[in-house]
Amino acid sequence: MSMLSRLATTGGAAEKTFIEDVFSTYLYTGNGSTQTITNDIDLAGKGGMVWIKGRGAFSENHALLDTVRGNIKYLSSNTTDAQGTSTELTSFNSNGFSLGAV
């Protein structure tokens, strides 16, 4: 079967992925309670990473959490520390992620 025949049979080119489908910058203000951050990225189904950094204090570390490690294991990009554990991110969702009381 020729390539043209395959494209016609499968409906054309593969579905395009746009940057908005896989990347989102979202600033939020902590409220001392749980929060759900909706950025329309399917972290639960497709996987991904969340990068959290408190902006209130200069000495707060970065926290990189990904769906491979799970929502409680993180790395800090600004330290040489080993993997840490935190309960800040409570779940990866189909449209973003949820945070515990921070």
Side-chain angles (χ1 to χ4, degrees):
M1 180 184 283
S2 72
M3 182 57 82
L4 185 56
S5 297
R6 281 187 227 160
L7 287 175
T9 305
T10 60
E15 184 178 323
K16 292 183 179 181
T17 301
F18 297 95
I19 191 69
E20 297 84 16
D21 297 329
V22 295
F23 181 83
S24 173
T25 300
Y26 188 90
L27 298 178
Y28 67 91
T29 302
N31 60 10
S33 186
T34 60
Q35 286 185 267
T36 298
I37 307 301
T38 303
N39 59 14
D40 296 323
I41 295 180
D42 184 4
L43 294 168
K46 297 194 177 197
M49 182 186 82
V50 174
W51 189 327
I52 298 173
K53 168 68 170 97
R55 298 177 351 137
F58 182 76
S59 63
E60 291 184 44
N61 291 327
H62 299 251
L64 286 75
L65 303 106
D66 61 79
T67 54
V68 173
R69 291 177 208 288
N71 64 302
I72 63 168
K73 299 293 184 183
Y74 71 92
L75 296 174
S76 290
S77 61
N78 62 311
T79 70
T80 57
D81 296 346
Q83 174 177 273
T85 302
S86 171
T87 58
E88 186 171 348
L89 193 146
T90 57
S91 68
F92 295 106
N93 305 329
S94 62
N95 62 351
F97 57 96
S98 295
L99 300 168
V102 187

